[in-house]
Amino acid sequence: MPSAAVRRSEADQLIETLHTVAADPALWESLVTALADAPADAPSETDMDGLEDAPVGPPAVGLLLLAADGAVVGWNAAGKSLLRGKLGADDAAGRPLFSPANHEALVEARRRLGETGAAQVIVRLVQAEDEDPRFAYVGPIEALPAMLRQGVEGREAPRAKVAVIFPAPENTDRLWMTVRASFGLTAAETRLAARLKAGRTLKEAADDLGVSLNTVRNQLRAVFDKMGLNRQSELVRALAQLSALSNSIQPEPAIVSASEAGALMAAPPVRIHRLPDGRALAYRVYGRPDGRPCMVFHQGLGSSLLPRGSDELARDLGLRIVCAERPGVGRSDLHPDLSLEAVAADLGDLTRALDMRRVRVAAMMYGAAFALSYAEDMAGEVEHVLLASARPTGAAPERPEDRRNPLVLLRRRMLRLRWVAGPMYAVFRRRLSHSLVERMVRAGASAPGDGAYLARHPGVVDFIQAYMGESLTRGSEGVARETVLLASSDGASWPRLRAPVSVWHGAEDTVTSVEEVLSWLGHAPHQVRVFDGVGHFLPHKHWPEIMGWMAA
């Protein structure tokens, strides 16, 4: 049995390691090793030219029609395929909808059309699968050429107010495949050419691609050499002549971009509810005041901040989404005796104060246990519960495959050594920065699908940093206490739970398998969906489908 002095020395060494790792996450393996030998008990002390028209025939295009509220009410085959495969998803009733970021961009495009009276606005849309963004024209339905109306489907198409037009997927994809194959461009050079054709400056292209300005300059010289060009403007003209929609481009169009970045700036304001004992419970409301009531439970080290565009999409889906920050997290006050039941009671008081009835509940990751306790406590008022990438309570044993992901191993050892959570989050709060979060997120994206998603959606790092920063607004104690609570709740159960529970999980999840979630749940689920090609990024990648589920 080690002496108290030896244990304090080991703890001091561990905390020193924490400080080092917070400054350089490349040293995570050192921390994992330190945790392996740490004492189980806490020590007592411790310049672009405009694109030219090209003489082409009628363009092969995708078409989507939007109603005044932003709902997709009509489409042609190419439009529907692109929307469902790359720009959005279907809700639970099978209706197509854009992802929140794209929905928000289209709301802004409609606003600009109304304010400027322009014939069309170019929108930059983010895609779920392709690495490059997709560009579309948005204009009033009255300006839609008759030839493009052919093949339109959708029973509600007559109420369309806005048309969204873009190159058919095979057309644009073939364009870049042809350019790359014809001139021998590398993948990086092709991505740069795509951004320059879209109107980006070299500096903007470098920022989009996450590389230095010198790197894109070198890539541009290589493109010039391979294509026999001399100037950037010539490259843009050459690409425009290959484009099926080049005859439709207007000079100096307005461009609206969709991105996960900037969620904090676009989010609804934080509200404060006073609980019976005087504590503050912080929350945000997304969507319509009279919309269908939904309660969202954020992930661990999370906040009431939802992905960008959620407010607009919730409004157009007819939802009223409430997301509260748990005790001690964000701007909510600490609870003197934190427990799953205490959190459920706080959220129940908020639900009654907001007069929410027949509530749908969605929980992300470590919010799952709190959501189940809330659903049990609220009895008949909870209509259905969705657990997305649920994390069971208790300290899970280490597995051989955990060694491939230092973040997973770090989390497992931190849950086993619960006293480490306090100093760990305190150091993390002091050192929180974009570069730190980016390196953490990249290290955590060990599943192939997660790594690919992160490469295509770099703005998600900004979103994660924003909600992590909010979670630590008042300090780190709340997050640490929640971590300890979840690690200590090994035998959590919900015998009085009556609401049906659906489980959505990523097939590549390296933290918890769907089988472990179902075993922990202890109830026969209403539905189990396992998503291929995604790990623990499921709540990010499939957030529009989660919102569609809430609206079903």
Side-chain angles (χ1 to χ4, degrees):
M1 181 80 177
S3 67
V6 171
R7 289 172 56 199
R8 277 198 299 274
S9 174
E10 291 173 344
D12 291 341
Q13 183 179 3
L14 173 58
I15 292 174
E16 182 179 347
T17 305
L18 285 173
H19 282 272
T20 304
V21 170
D24 185 3
L27 301 175
W28 270 319
E29 291 186 8
S30 300
L31 178 58
V32 170
T33 302
L35 287 176
D37 301 323
D41 298 325
S44 54
E45 306 169 9
T46 62
D47 317 330
M48 294 302 296
D49 294 331
L51 301 181
E52 294 183 342
D53 291 345
V56 297
V61 301
L63 177 66
L64 293 167
L65 304 182
L66 307 184
D69 62 359
V72 180
V73 294
W75 50 80
N76 64 9
K80 192 172 187 179
S81 173
L82 182 56
L83 173 62
R84 287 178 163 167
K86 300 179 180 182
L87 301 177
D90 285 351
D91 66 13
R95 296 166 301 199
L97 54 93
F98 283 97
S99 69
N102 288 333
H103 184 87
E104 183 189 44
L106 289 167
V107 168
E108 174 64 14
R110 286 152 48 202
R111 185 188 68 79
R112 290 197 187 187
L113 283 173
E115 289 183 352
T116 64
Q120 60 187 2
V121 172
I122 293 179
V123 180
R124 178 183 183 273
L125 302 171
V126 294
Q127 300 196 92
E129 299 300 337
D130 288 352
E131 191 170 43
D132 294 316
R134 181 85 48 178
F135 290 82
Y137 295 92
V138 179
I141 194 69
E142 298 82 11
L144 184 66
M147 66 175 180
L148 293 184
R149 297 176 184 267
Q150 299 174 8
V152 169
E153 306 172 35
R155 288 181 298 177
E156 296 184 275
R159 68 185 186 97
K161 298 295 183 184
V162 174
V164 183
I165 309 168
F166 43 78
E170 64 275 10
N171 191 311
T172 299
D173 294 344
R174 189 182 301 118
L175 166 64
W176 292 114
M177 288 172 60
T178 302
V179 170
R180 182 173 176 178
S182 299
F183 301 102
L185 303 188
T186 66
E189 292 161 359
T190 305
R191 290 193 292 270
L192 172 61
R195 282 156 176 79
L196 296 180
K197 176 183 176 293
R200 291 287 189 268
T201 64
L202 277 181
K203 177 65 167 63
E204 290 169 339
D207 291 340
D208 279 354
L209 296 168
V211 298
S212 70
L213 188 57
N214 282 337
T215 297
V216 293
R217 282 174 175 157
N218 292 335
Q219 291 172 351
L220 183 59
R221 290 192 201 100
V223 172
F224 286 166
D225 291 340
K226 292 176 181 180
M227 296 186 70
L229 303 173
N230 296 309
R231 293 192 302 273
Q232 189 171 321
S233 59
E234 291 178 352
L235 172 63
V236 174
R237 290 192 186 97
L239 295 174
Q241 289 167 3
L242 294 171
S243 172
L245 285 184
S246 60
N247 64 331
S248 302
I249 299 176
Q250 294 182 332
E252 300 181 2
I255 298 180
V256 178
S257 292
S259 173
E260 297 88 344
L264 190 59
M265 182 175 60
V270 174
R271 307 181 188 186
I272 299 296
H273 169 66
R274 285 293 167 188
L275 295 161
D277 61 1
R279 287 180 296 114
L281 182 64
Y283 67 100
R284 282 186 172 99
V285 179
Y286 299 78
R288 296 169 48 175
D290 60 345
R292 179 177 194 162
C294 304
M295 185 71 74
V296 168
F297 286 75
H298 60 74
Q299 60 272 57
L301 203 59
S303 74
S304 59
L305 186 65
L306 298 182
R308 183 173 181 177
S310 295
D311 190 33
E312 295 285 357
L313 183 54
R315 185 176 295 113
D316 289 344
L317 288 175
L319 297 176
R320 180 194 190 193
I321 300 176
V322 175
C323 185
E325 295 167 352
R326 294 188 283 274
V329 176
R331 284 132 300 198
S332 292
D333 289 338
L334 289 163
H335 195 289
D337 187 17
L338 188 66
S339 67
L340 296 176
E341 295 77 14
V343 174
D346 285 355
L347 271 292
D349 189 77
L350 174 63
T351 302
R352 289 183 287 272
L354 297 177
D355 195 26
M356 296 170 64
R357 301 178 185 277
R358 304 299 299 164
V359 182
R360 281 210 155 196
V361 175
M364 317 301 152
M365 298 185 179
Y366 289 99
F370 297 104
L372 294 172
S373 293
Y374 167 81
E376 183 182 52
D377 191 58
M378 293 299 293
E381 291 301 334
V382 171
E383 187 177 76
H384 204 140
V385 179
L386 172 63
L387 306 181
S389 298
R391 302 298 183 234
T393 54
E398 294 179 16
R399 306 170 302 184
E401 58 266 32
D402 292 339
R403 297 190 177 277
R404 294 195 295 268
N405 189 332
L407 276 185
V408 172
L409 197 53
L410 172 60
R411 177 80 186 189
R412 295 209 194 284
R413 292 183 177 177
M414 188 170 67
L415 291 178
R416 179 173 59 84
L417 308 169
R418 296 162 195 166
W419 67 270
V420 176
M424 178 76 177
Y425 286 122
V427 172
F428 181 76
R429 180 173 182 259
R430 287 195 294 271
R431 301 293 181 90
L432 187 65
S433 66
H434 186 275
S435 61
L436 172 63
V437 172
E438 183 174 24
R439 282 183 282 178
M440 285 183 62
V441 172
R442 292 191 186 284
S446 59
D450 287 350
Y453 177 81
L454 183 60
R456 297 164 191 148
H457 297 264
V460 77
V461 174
D462 299 83
F463 171 54
I464 292 173
Q465 182 194 1
Y467 70 61
M468 282 184 173
E470 280 204 328
S471 72
L472 300 166
T473 297
R474 292 189 176 179
S476 60
E477 184 180 355
V479 174
R481 287 179 60 187
E482 180 176 299
T483 300
V484 172
L485 169 64
L486 293 175
S488 306
S489 303
D490 198 4
S493 63
W494 299 271
R496 295 181 291 107
L497 180 65
R498 296 293 177 266
V501 178
S502 292
V503 174
W504 291 8
H505 212 76
E508 299 178 2
D509 198 315
T510 56
V511 179
T512 308
S513 69
V514 68
E515 290 79 13
E516 290 171 319
V517 173
L518 297 178
S519 175
W520 166 76
L521 181 60
H523 288 70
H526 172 78
Q527 176 201 50
V528 177
R529 287 186 65 186
V530 178
F531 293 76
D532 292 330
V534 65
H536 67 261
F537 275 11
L538 183 146
H540 295 289
K541 184 175 182 179
H542 293 283
W543 176 242
E545 288 156 274
I546 294 172
M547 292 188 69
W549 176 89
M550 288 189 277

